[in-house]
Amino acid sequence: MIDRQLHRSFSVVVCAYTEERWEDILAAVASVRSQSMPATETLLVVDHNETLRTRLRAEYAGASAADGGEVRVLANAGPRGLSAGRNTGIAAARGEFVAFLDDDAVAEHDWLRYLAAGYGDARVMAVGGRTLPAWASGSRPAWFPEEFDWVVGCTYRGLPPGKVRVRNILGGNASFRRTAFDAAGGFATGIGRDGDKRPLGCEETELCIRLGEALPHAVLLIDDRAVIHHKVPESRMGFGYFRSRAYAEGLSKALVARSVGAGKGLESERRYATRVLPAGVARGLRDAVRGRERGGAGRAGAIVAGVLTTAAGFLVGSARTRRGAVTFSSGPISPVASSASSTPASARESPRGAVV
């Protein structure tokens, strides 16, 4: 049972970039404002889209603590992209803890309460949760393996269940102590999502590894009771997106390995590739032979294709990072005022490595 007396001060950051997700954004904010443990505030950070920011400010002009919590709408004060948007939210946050929710996801009623429960130990610097796919078609494509649910931003088969210690948490359902950013800096810009460009990722992995380096005794947890539901549109349910996202993941892993070293950057991935994925292929083929479940052969084939495509992305990304074409950066974050013109420390970042 959750301690009903437990209450911690949470700022929840939701980053948005397009009016095409208007209804999704409203649903995400509504799920935060209806939490069993209320958030101190919801910070809506808009990524270089003044039309969307103006519309959201009008939508939440009357929002207050009395009716679900204050909602502040901010402009991304750094370069375009998800990492700088999150850094803007961190810089403006008033809470002792900062949680992140994707703009196309909704949190279950006790999401924040379960995240908060993980911080009973002062060593715990980050707590993440479980992200379930909400398929636009109403069901998972028969060929789509659960081992690759990270392709659509969700918890995948192979992660340990329950409340467990992990190397890194997943960024769309995550929380950190505010002091974690004081120790490790913010999310690295130049890595991760940038609107509708190639679907890079791993910015939260890089940050979590960097946090472990800055605070060797830090504990990072996943509590799979802290559940959100992440929308998966039709455009992300096809094999073309699957391959594109897998390739981008390989590129991203190359950046992380360049930043923090291959040992730490790939330690979890080695277990996943050598144990979880072969088991998934065997399970798919077994289901196909026994005729027990539709799509078994397709899932096995998708796992093999996903591994090869990710590996190709990693090789290409490694070659590009060795050439040092472009830098990506991370740096300290200092509290700022809540005005949209405030500039977080992303403008003062120092280079850490190369991006593709």
Side-chain angles (χ1 to χ4, degrees):
M1 292 292 292
I2 306 172
D3 181 1
R4 292 293 172 182
Q5 303 304 314
L6 178 66
H7 186 279
R8 302 186 188 278
S9 173
F10 270 82
S11 297
V12 179
V13 177
V14 179
C15 295
Y17 70 97
T18 175
E19 288 182 275
E20 293 178 4
R21 290 187 177 180
W22 178 257
E23 296 298 330
D24 295 334
I25 297 167
L26 298 188
V29 174
S31 74
V32 174
R33 301 185 76 217
S34 62
Q35 287 292 299
S36 61
M37 190 195 82
T40 299
E41 60 186 351
T42 302
L43 301 175
L44 266 173
V45 183
V46 181
D47 192 12
H48 298 271
N49 184 334
E50 188 60 25
T51 301
L52 176 59
R53 187 173 76 92
T54 299
R55 189 177 177 190
L56 286 170
R57 289 183 69 182
E59 178 73 22
Y60 293 107
S64 67
D67 62 357
E70 181 183 5
V71 179
R72 290 196 283 154
V73 180
L74 309 174
N76 178 2
R80 186 181 300 275
L82 181 57
S83 290
R86 286 174 172 167
N87 290 343
T88 298
I90 296 164
R94 299 167 181 160
E96 180 186 2
F97 303 89
V98 183
F100 300 92
L101 180 67
D102 281 345
D103 66 342
D104 54 353
V106 293
E108 292 193 357
H109 186 57
D110 285 327
W111 173 63
L112 276 184
R113 189 176 290 277
Y114 280 121
L115 291 180
Y119 289 103
D121 185 333
R123 297 174 301 167
V124 176
M125 289 288 120
V127 181
R130 180 161 51 114
T131 301
L132 301 178
W135 304 97
S137 64
S139 62
R140 172 188 299 274
W143 62 269
F144 202 114
E146 292 182 24
E147 290 82 359
F148 273 77
D149 276 4
W150 54 262
V151 164
V152 290
C154 295
T155 301
Y156 54 91
R157 184 193 290 268
L159 286 178
K163 185 176 181 179
V164 293
R165 187 170 181 173
V166 293
R167 179 197 66 180
N168 64 276
I169 58 180
L170 304 182
N173 181 3
S175 67
F176 294 83
R177 288 188 190 271
R178 182 61 180 75
T179 54
F181 303 110
D182 297 335
F187 290 92
T189 58
I191 185 173
R193 296 277 180 155
D194 180 1
D196 292 321
K197 294 183 179 180
R198 185 185 295 279
L200 297 172
C202 294
E203 66 275 11
E204 66 275 3
T205 302
E206 195 271 345
L207 171 60
C208 289
I209 294 174
R210 190 162 18 100
L211 176 59
E213 293 175 340
L215 300 173
H217 299 296
V219 174
L220 286 68
L221 300 175
I222 286 181
D223 186 338
D224 64 9
R225 300 171 300 174
V227 177
I228 70 169
H229 299 265
H230 188 261
K231 184 177 180 180
V232 184
E234 294 281 357
S235 61
R236 297 187 178 184
M237 292 174 58
F239 191 63
Y241 180 82
F242 180 90
R243 288 186 303 172
S244 174
R245 180 67 185 88
Y247 182 77
E249 184 73 3
L251 296 175
S252 301
K253 292 298 183 188
L255 306 187
V256 173
R258 175 63 181 267
S259 174
V260 300
K264 292 182 179 180
L266 299 175
E267 61 183 356
S268 295
E269 287 73 13
R270 292 191 181 96
R271 175 188 175 278
Y272 172 74
T274 59
R275 299 172 65 178
V276 175
L277 295 183
V281 172
R283 184 167 42 252
L285 294 176
R286 184 172 60 248
D287 288 347
V289 169
R290 296 176 179 177
R292 188 170 60 187
E293 189 174 341
R294 186 171 62 91
R299 292 195 304 276
I303 290 174
V304 173
V307 170
L308 294 176
T309 306
T310 305
F314 182 82
L315 291 174
V316 171
S318 296
R320 291 180 180 176
T321 59
R322 284 194 294 270
R323 292 200 300 268
V326 186
T327 59
F328 72 92
S329 304
S330 63
I333 292 180
S334 302
V336 298
S338 61
S339 69
S341 62
S342 300
T343 303
S346 58
R348 304 189 298 276
E349 292 166 343
S350 55
R352 288 185 59 85
V355 300
V356 291

